């Protein structure tokens, strides 16, 4: 007996049209009941035309709720200004702030100033690379000779390493001050410490003097490096976070290269003492620009709103935004309200020793930020940039040629940062770091093997040395395109706005720990194991890959609210398990190992499931558990089912044995895979809607189904006629 819906079909109708014709009959038959159900679900709104006549009273609860929310935002209890703020120099003044007719000009000025600050950070980090090699400096510090003397080797590494102890302290202090008295005052505070440190370094007369000067300079640089990225992100309106950060770090490596080449040409001066004091004294120019110039720029509108200075915040937004600022101002108020409610977690101690669920989430974010910065140093960039001359000398090159190679390596390093614009925003953070570590590991492995033979005198020594130099250039370029920017970008994406300044401080803490350890032990490594240093760095790159894969969620393309969802509902350090936990809670955005694309954001905003989650979780779990021997067959079957082939075959078998009701059950059980349906999870079509009575059904064919019909239908005249009737 034929099922209802197929009773009027001609006997020669092709079998692959049975599901189509059945759906058409069913949609006409149940159209009236579906419209009634929709009417009930919508609370009495029958059609779009009738919905225009809905009384205004239906909007009253929402309006009351909105007005209540507005009232709560307007009546915030703002904190009092910090009582010690008046003792710190500098600060924001609305009358002193630079004013431009076009907000884009202000945006460019802010980016340029932030770039100068980041350039100073790079300059200060690289300025010691050739100072350590100066004979006059070594004699004055009483650390000569270096080779064969373990005490002098330790002293050389210690002078460089103590600087990072200062950056750790400066970051923690500035992170707290930035929240208490504003971003601008915190930068001025750091500039004063950096200025004192630069003066003391340029005038150092012994190792104790130099170590104290390095620590003081580190405090200032750590404060500036902690606050400037947060300030520029809050004042400017950024559209591409990865691209913006790549531009800043282009200038950062530019500062590193500038310091190196200034020292190279200063070394040509017969006066060896001025050759190392001059580069250290030139830091003062950068510091004066930063410490004085920051006072002419706008303060963070979020901090101004937090302190209850709403009109000043509105003025800053108008100076830096082209569009209407009221919506953004209201959004900032909401953030401030949330920040004041969770102010108990906005302390370093609370972030490390949590007492509630929210603080525990912050602690895990701190771990991620700190460990990522440490891993950035473990992959070996500090060894190459600070001790590049030693590396090239070990590979068989002379002193002058080694210095030239190290200088050109820094220039190559600087331009490689441009590729971070592509890698970060196109491929995501996780893929960029994983494949970057893989590439750097291979380069270091080959370089280490070649370096072994480059240290053996012979006819091929120069060839092996050239190979080491080439791979060193490739290594630094790979690092600049992958690992340089990500550890600095990641904290701005995982920390909530109310603790972002302290989150940036924790990031600098991790950077300081990693740099301090690497710069301290590197001189020992070069003397103890020579070429084995590169092989050790190869192993450390391999060591870092599992951490990136297992514990770091993908942040590319995701908003801060989505990151909060991950940390709130993940419930595991394993990003794969956390994704499964989020999926089990019915949250659409559950694939935290992959980048989110713009079209997926559109689907999410429309309330649908995203295109990355078209396949059901059960299918993904089954696919993952399938043994490797059965997976190819299972994959072919699944792909065939999605293309409609399996359903057509099963429909044919059901009709042949005379069980037409199986077709109905089949369609009901496979409705999310059948190409003849457009389920709610599909991003390609709208959901199948019941047509009004008296009108034919409009079947939403997918492209694959339409193509099949176009190819097969012309072969059969009766098929074409049936399609025209539909």
């Amino acid at each position: 007996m034929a099922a209802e819906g197929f009773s009027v079909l001609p006997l020669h109708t092709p079998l692959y049209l049975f599901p189509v014709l059945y759906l058409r009959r069913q949609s006409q038959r149940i159209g009236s009941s579906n419209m009634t159900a929709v009417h009930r679900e919508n609370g009495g709104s029958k059609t779009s035309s009738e919905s225009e006549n809905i009384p205004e009273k239906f909007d009253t609860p929402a309006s009351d709720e909105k007005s209540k929310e507005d009232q709560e935002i307007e009546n915030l209890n703002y904190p009092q200004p910090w009582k010690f703020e008046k003792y710190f120099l500098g600060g924001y003044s609305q009358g002193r702030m630079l004013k431009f007719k076009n907000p884009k000009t202000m945006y460019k000025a802010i980016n340029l100033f932030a770039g100068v600050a980041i350039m100073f950070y790079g300059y200060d980090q690289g300025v010691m690379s050739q100072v350590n090699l100066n004979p006059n400096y070594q004699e004055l510090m009483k650390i000569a000779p270096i080779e064969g003397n373990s005490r002098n080797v330790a002293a050389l590494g210690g002078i460089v390493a103590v600087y990072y102890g200062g950056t750790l302290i400066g970051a923690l202090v500035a992170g707290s001050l930035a929240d208490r008295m504003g971003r601008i005052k915190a930068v001025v505070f750091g500039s004063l410490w950096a200025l004192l440190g630069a003066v003391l370094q340029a005038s150092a007369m012994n190792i104790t003097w130099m170590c104290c000067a390095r620590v003081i300079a580190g405090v200032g640089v750590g404060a500036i490096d902690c606050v400037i990225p947060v300030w520029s992100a809050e004042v400017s309106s950024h559209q591409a976070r990865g691209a913006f950060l790549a531009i800043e770090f282009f200038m950062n490596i530019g500062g590193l290269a500038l310091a190196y080449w200034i020292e190279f040409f200063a070394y040509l001066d017969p006066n060896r003492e001025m050759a190392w004091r001059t580069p250290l004294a030139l830091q003062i120019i950068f510091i004066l620009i930063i410490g004085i110039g920051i006072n002419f720029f706008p303060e963070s509108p979020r901090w101004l709103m937090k302190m209850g200075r709403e009109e000043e915040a509105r003025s800053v937004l108008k100076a830096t935004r082209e569009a209407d600022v009221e919506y953004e101002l209201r959004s900032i108020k909401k953030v401030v309200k949330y920040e004041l409610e969770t102010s108990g977690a906005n302390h370093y101690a609370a972030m490390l020793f949590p007492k509630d669920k929210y603080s525990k989430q912050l602690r895990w974010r701190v771990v991620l930020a700190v460990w990522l910065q440490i891993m950035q140093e473990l992959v070996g960039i500090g060894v190459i940039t600070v001790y590049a001359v030693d590396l090239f000398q070990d590979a068989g090159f002379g002193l002058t040629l080694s210095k030239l190679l190290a200088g050109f390596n820094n220039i190559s390093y600087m331009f490689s940062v441009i590729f971070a614009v592509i890698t970060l925003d196109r491929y995501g953070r996780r893929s960029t770091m994983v494949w970057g570590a893989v590439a750097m590991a291979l380069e270091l492995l080959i370089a280490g093997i070649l370096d072994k033979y480059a240290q053996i005198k012979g006819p091929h020594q120069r060839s092996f040395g050239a190979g080491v130099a080439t791979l060193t250039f490739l290594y630094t370029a790979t690092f600049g395109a992958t690992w340089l920017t990500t550890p600095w970008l990641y904290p701005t994406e995982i920390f909530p706005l109310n603790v972002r300044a302290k989150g940036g401080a924790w990031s600098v803490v991790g950077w300081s720990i990693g740099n301090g350890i690497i710069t301290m032990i590197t001189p020992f490594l070069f003397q103890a194991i020579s070429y084995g240093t590169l092989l050790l760095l190869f192993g450390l790159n391999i060591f870092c890959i599992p951490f990136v894969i297992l514990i770091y969620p993908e942040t590319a393309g995701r908003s801060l609210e989505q990151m909060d969802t991950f940390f709130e509902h993940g419930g595991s350090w394993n990003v794969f398990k956390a994704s499964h936990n989020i999926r089990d809670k019915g949250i659409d955005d559950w694939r935290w190992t992959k980048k989110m694309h713009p079209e997926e954001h559109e689907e999410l905003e429309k309330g649908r499931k995203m295109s990355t989650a078209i396949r059901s979780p059960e299918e993904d779990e089954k696919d993952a558990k399938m043994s490797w021997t059965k997976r190819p067959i299972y994959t072919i079957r699944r792909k065939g089912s999605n293309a409609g082939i399996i359903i057509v075959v099963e429909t044919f078998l059901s009709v042949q044995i005379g069980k037409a009701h199986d077709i109905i059950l089949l369609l009901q059980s496979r409705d999310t895979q059948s190409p003849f349906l457009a389920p709610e999870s599909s991003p390609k079509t709208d959901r199948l809607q019941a047509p009004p009575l008296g009108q034919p059904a409009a079947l939403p064919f997918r492209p694959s189904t339409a193509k099949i019909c176009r190819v097969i239908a012309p072969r059969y005249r009766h098929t074409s006629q049936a399609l025209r009737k539909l």
Side-chain angles (χ1 to χ4, degrees):
M1 179 179 177
E4 183 181 357
F6 292 90
S7 57
V8 295
L9 296 178
L11 295 176
H12 55 270
T13 301
L15 293 176
Y16 62 82
L17 283 181
F18 271 69
V20 180
L21 300 175
Y22 170 77
L23 287 175
R24 194 256 184 180
R25 293 283 193 266
Q26 289 293 96
S27 63
Q28 287 182 342
R29 181 174 64 83
I30 65 175
S32 178
S33 60
N34 276 357
M35 297 302 290
T36 303
V38 171
H39 165 73
R40 291 173 179 171
E41 290 179 2
N42 294 338
S45 56
K46 296 181 181 180
T47 62
S48 59
S49 60
E50 292 176 349
S51 63
E52 298 176 358
N53 299 323
I54 296 177
E56 295 182 358
K57 64 182 181 179
F58 287 98
D59 294 330
T60 303
S63 301
D64 292 343
E65 183 178 351
K66 184 177 180 181
S67 61
K68 182 180 179 181
E69 182 182 8
D70 290 339
Q71 187 176 2
E72 291 179 354
I73 293 177
E74 294 297 333
N75 297 329
L76 290 176
N77 186 18
Y78 296 107
Q80 295 295 322
W82 191 38
K83 60 181 179 179
F84 298 108
E85 181 180 342
K86 60 183 179 181
Y87 299 108
F88 288 83
L89 297 177
Y92 167 71
S93 172
Q94 192 169 353
R96 188 172 56 231
M97 184 183 72
L98 294 173
K99 295 177 177 61
F100 300 98
K101 293 182 179 180
N102 191 345
K104 286 185 178 180
T105 308
M106 174 65 82
Y107 175 75
K108 293 177 181 178
I110 292 171
N111 287 351
L112 178 62
F113 182 82
V116 171
I118 297 296
M119 178 178 281
F120 164 65
Y121 148 65
Y123 183 94
D124 202 63
Q125 186 181 10
V127 74
M128 293 298 292
S129 60
Q130 289 195 70
V131 169
N132 288 334
L133 302 176
N134 191 293
N136 178 269
Y137 170 81
Q138 293 178 358
E139 292 174 3
L140 192 63
M141 300 296 138
K142 298 185 179 347
I143 57 174
I146 298 296
E147 295 184 5
N149 191 316
S150 58
R151 179 265 175 192
N152 293 342
V153 171
L156 179 67
I159 293 174
V160 179
V162 294
Y163 167 83
Y164 298 103
T167 59
L168 188 152
I169 298 171
L172 292 175
V173 173
S176 179
L177 292 178
D179 285 336
R180 291 174 178 269
M181 60 183 188
R183 315 314 192 205
I184 291 180
K185 278 183 174 288
V187 172
V188 175
F189 166 81
S191 300
L192 292 175
W193 279 85
L195 179 62
L196 178 60
V199 171
L200 291 176
Q201 285 183 87
S203 59
M205 299 302 295
N206 53 60
I207 189 171
T208 305
W209 188 332
M210 177 58 85
C211 286
C212 293
R214 293 282 293 167
V215 172
I216 293 172
V219 171
V221 175
I224 295 172
D225 191 36
C226 165
V227 178
I228 284 291
V230 176
W231 169 78
S232 63
E234 292 178 340
V235 176
S236 302
S237 176
H238 304 309
Q239 301 298 328
R241 294 171 295 188
F244 173 79
L245 204 69
I247 294 171
E248 282 192 346
F249 274 90
F250 176 82
M251 299 189 71
N252 168 247
I253 305 305
L256 184 72
L258 178 64
Y260 186 88
W261 284 105
I262 288 176
E263 290 181 313
F264 178 82
F265 288 109
Y267 190 77
L268 300 178
D269 189 343
N271 188 338
R272 295 294 184 228
E273 185 174 4
M274 294 303 298
W276 66 268
R277 293 190 186 274
T278 300
L280 292 174
L282 288 177
Q283 297 177 86
I284 298 174
I285 298 176
F286 285 99
I287 297 169
L288 292 176
I289 293 174
I290 297 169
I292 297 174
I294 189 68
N295 295 281
F296 296 93
F297 282 91
E299 178 60 273
S300 163
R302 191 189 70 83
W303 183 83
L304 290 172
M305 183 61 70
K306 173 188 172 183
M307 303 305 296
R309 298 157 67 173
E310 181 175 345
E311 289 303 320
E312 291 178 281
R314 181 180 284 105
S315 176
V316 170
L317 290 175
K318 288 181 178 179
T320 56
R321 309 290 192 270
E322 291 183 298
D324 184 32
V325 301
E326 293 303 322
Y327 176 79
E328 185 173 357
L329 195 67
R330 175 179 170 81
S331 300
I332 293 175
K333 285 184 179 180
K334 291 182 180 179
V335 173
V336 170
K337 177 178 179 294
Y338 178 73
E339 179 178 347
L340 295 175
E341 291 174 351
T342 58
S343 59
N346 193 8
H347 300 285
Y348 291 121
M351 297 172 77
L352 281 184
F353 307 102
K355 296 181 180 180
D356 52 30
K357 183 179 179 182
Y358 177 74
S359 299
K360 289 181 180 179
Q361 299 171 15
L362 291 181
R363 181 173 62 180
W364 181 239
R365 301 185 203 210
V366 169
V367 171
L368 292 178
V370 172
W371 180 238
L372 187 59
Q373 286 283 8
I374 294 176
M375 286 196 299
Q376 184 193 43
E377 298 308 318
L378 291 180
V379 299
I381 191 61
V383 176
I384 304 300
T385 55
V386 179
Y387 298 99
V389 177
D390 299 276
L391 176 63
F392 288 125
Q393 281 186 297
D394 285 346
F397 295 100
L399 178 60
T400 303
L401 185 55
S402 296
K403 289 183 176 181
L404 285 172
L405 287 173
F408 287 118
N409 183 47
N410 285 333
I411 295 176
S412 171
Y413 184 20
M414 178 178 66
F415 284 101
S416 69
V417 181
I418 299 175
F419 291 97
V421 178
I422 301 173
T423 57
L424 285 176
D425 289 332
R426 178 172 297 183
Y427 302 111
R429 318 314 185 216
R430 283 166 53 89
S431 297
T432 297
M433 290 191 290
V434 169
W435 291 110
V438 170
M440 289 188 294
L442 293 176
E443 291 158 0
L444 289 168
L445 174 62
I446 301 174
I449 296 173
L450 294 178
D451 194 22
K452 175 183 178 181
Y453 296 100
Q455 297 178 20
I456 302 175
K457 292 184 178 181
H460 301 293
Q461 182 183 15
R462 197 169 187 85
S463 299
F464 288 123
V468 173
T470 302
L471 288 166
T472 302
F473 274 66
L474 287 176
Y475 166 81
T476 53
T478 305
F479 180 88
T482 56
W483 273 79
L484 174 65
T485 55
T486 308
W488 296 100
L489 176 62
Y490 210 82
T492 66
E493 296 178 320
I494 64 173
F495 281 105
L497 291 175
N498 60 319
V499 293
R500 182 169 288 181
K502 290 184 174 62
W506 281 117
S507 180
V508 176
V509 167
W511 172 80
S512 302
I513 294 172
N515 267 292
I517 294 173
I518 293 298
T519 54
M520 183 68 191
I521 67 175
T522 298
F524 286 103
L525 293 176
F526 274 118
Q527 287 206 7
I529 58 178
S530 186
Y531 68 87
T533 304
L534 298 179
L535 299 180
L536 174 62
L537 295 178
F538 154 75
L540 290 175
N541 274 268
I542 299 299
F543 169 76
C544 293
I545 293 175
F547 287 99
V548 177
I549 295 175
L550 292 177
I551 70 175
Y552 285 92
E554 180 56 70
T555 62
R558 288 183 166 91
S559 65
L560 183 60
E561 290 75 16
Q562 289 171 290
M563 296 307 304
D564 290 338
T565 299
F566 173 82
F567 288 104
E568 181 179 355
H569 300 285
S572 174
W573 59 267
N574 187 323
V575 67
F576 293 94
K577 186 175 181 180
S579 298
H580 281 277
N581 294 340
I582 295 172
R583 181 196 66 186
D584 294 340
K585 294 181 180 180
I587 299 174
D588 288 337
D589 182 18
W590 60 273
R591 289 177 178 264
W592 285 89
T593 59
K594 296 183 179 180
K595 173 190 173 183
M596 176 175 283
H597 297 278
E599 57 269 18
E600 295 166 348
H601 264 297
E602 295 176 2
E603 295 296 331
L604 191 63
E605 291 173 358
K606 292 178 182 178
R608 301 175 181 175
K609 292 181 179 179
M610 298 175 301
S611 58
T612 55
I614 293 175
R615 294 184 59 209
S616 65
E618 291 75 17
E619 287 179 307
D620 281 293
E621 189 171 357
K622 183 178 180 181
D623 198 6
K625 293 181 179 180
M626 188 70 62
S627 65
W628 68 271
T629 55
K630 296 181 180 180
R631 186 172 294 153
I633 299 176
Y634 169 73
T635 303
I636 293 173
R637 179 177 177 82
R638 175 170 54 78
K639 295 292 185 182
S641 179
N642 289 338
I645 299 173
I646 302 300
I647 288 186
V648 170
V649 173
E650 293 178 354
T651 304
F652 172 79
L653 294 176
S654 297
V655 174
Q656 291 300 106
I657 62 176
K659 296 181 179 180
H661 63 278
D662 287 349
I663 299 176
I664 302 173
L665 299 176
L666 177 65
L667 290 170
Q668 291 175 348
S669 62
R670 296 284 186 112
D671 61 349
T672 60
Q673 296 182 3
S674 173
F676 304 107
L677 290 174
E680 186 177 4
S681 62
S682 173
K684 298 180 180 179
T685 58
D686 293 326
R687 189 177 182 180
L688 180 62
Q689 300 290 338
L693 293 177
Q695 296 184 14
L699 293 175
F701 286 93
R702 287 188 184 180
S704 58
T705 308
K707 184 176 180 180
I708 292 173
C709 291
R710 284 197 303 270
V711 173
I712 300 178
R715 302 181 184 179
Y716 303 95
R717 181 168 301 182
H718 52 264
T719 304
S720 301
Q721 293 174 354
L723 286 173
R724 282 195 294 272
K725 289 180 181 179
L726 288 173

